[in-house]
Amino acid sequence: MSDAEWARVRELLPVPARMAGRGGRPEGYCHRQMIDAVRYLVDNGIKWRAMPADFPPWPRVYAFFARWRDLGVVAELHERLREAVRRSQGRRGEPSAGVVDSQSVKADTTVTRLSRGFDAGKKINGRKRHLLTDTLGLLLGVLVTPASTTDRDAARILLPAAKSRFRGLAQLPASTAPATPATSRPTTDQDSRDNGDLMPDQQRLHTRSGRERPLRLVGSGVRGQDRECGTA
């Protein structure tokens, strides 16, 4: 982690109890070391137990990560970084439109039948990962469902949750084929009021510069990063 990156992150991390005057033992590891260790794990897609010896022991790294996750620090870091990237592209910090895309993956035999399904389009029996991104491809939400779930149905869950955090989010193009009657129901006026403007049949969107971007490519960029991190 560079000094500039550390300067952005440092102010968000909890102050150790001893340094805040609350007593207790001094922490044995630098927070910057812990951030570097977590970033290495995510970037290389390794297991916690495979943490290289150059970093602190993996149980301590995981303990710090779990503490920051439970305190909402990890989510706050992600929110601030996304806002900074959007502003650097000349956009507002809060998105006003989102894109839903998905990826079906085969499930292991240990996965229960209740949490898996069959994706008839891709002939995959397993689970499906739905991604809600802004028009730059920056992540807004994730939902894991049985593979039989369509993007239209997932949007009815993803968008209301996202709108509770992003008040300006109103439009949601979906980059898949229209839902089948066996797995979904027609969109009603109440759905439109609750979920924003669903546009499942629109396959391209216009950027601020006037150029068109295929919706499939917007979500594919995030999925590509997932594969690089070993989570696909």
Side-chain angles (χ1 to χ4, degrees), residues 169-188:
L169 191 62
Q171 296 182 340
L172 185 66
S175 59
T176 62
T180 59
T183 57
S184 66
R185 56 182 175 80
T187 302
T188 64

Side-chain angles (χ1 to χ4, degrees), residues 3 15 29 71 121 154 156 165:
D3 292 338
V15 179
Y29 299 99
L71 290 173
R156 294 192 176 98
R165 296 182 292 123

Side-chain angles (χ1 to χ4, degrees), residues 10-208:
R10 184 176 184 178
E11 62 178 9
L12 295 177
L13 300 180
V15 179
R18 187 178 182 89
M19 295 180 63
R22 300 193 300 270
R25 298 173 57 187
E27 294 187 352
Y29 299 99
C30 173
H31 286 179
R32 186 168 179 173
Q33 285 182 297
M34 294 300 181
I35 293 288
D36 284 338
V38 173
R39 292 181 65 187
Y40 181 89
L41 178 138
V42 173
D43 184 51
N44 291 275
I46 63 174
K47 298 179 180 178
W48 287 101
R49 294 179 181 271
M51 188 74 66
D54 296 339
F55 295 111
W58 76 264
R60 298 305 308 149
V61 177
Y62 178 78
F64 271 79
F65 168 77
R67 184 195 310 171
W68 293 336
R69 178 198 59 199
D70 296 342
L71 290 173
V73 175
V74 176
E76 180 67 19
L77 281 172
H78 181 265
E79 299 286 331
R80 292 202 181 190
L81 289 173
R82 182 183 58 245
E83 181 178 343
V85 172
R86 288 183 57 84
R87 293 190 183 281
S88 69
Q89 297 293 322
R91 307 293 186 93
R92 293 182 300 175
E94 183 175 302
S96 60
V99 178
V100 169
D101 200 0
S102 64
Q103 180 183 33
S104 297
V105 295
K106 294 181 179 179
D108 192 80
T109 55
T110 58
V111 177
T112 62
R113 294 180 61 183
L114 295 178
S115 63
R116 63 194 298 165
F118 184 72
D119 185 341
K122 298 180 180 178
K123 310 300 182 185
I124 292 179
N125 188 342
R127 290 177 173 172
K128 184 178 289 186
R129 176 176 51 204
H130 304 269
L131 300 177
L132 173 61
T133 74
D134 64 7
T135 55
L136 295 178
L138 303 177
L139 192 64
L140 302 178
V142 179
L143 177 67
V144 178
T145 68
S148 55
T149 306
T150 65
D151 280 4
R152 183 193 296 266
D153 293 333
R156 294 192 176 98
I157 301 175
L158 279 171
L159 186 57
K163 288 187 69 174
S164 65
R165 296 182 292 123
F166 310 106
R167 298 297 182 181
L169 191 62
Q171 296 182 340
L172 185 66
S175 59
T176 62
T180 59
T183 57
S184 66
R185 56 182 175 80
T187 302
T188 64
D189 292 339
Q190 183 62 40
D191 291 332
S192 298
R193 287 191 293 271
D194 292 342
N195 297 337
D197 298 327
L198 297 177
M199 298 180 287
D201 297 330
Q202 180 177 334
Q203 295 298 312
R204 306 181 75 86
L205 61 86
H206 291 272
T207 63
R208 175 167 297 184

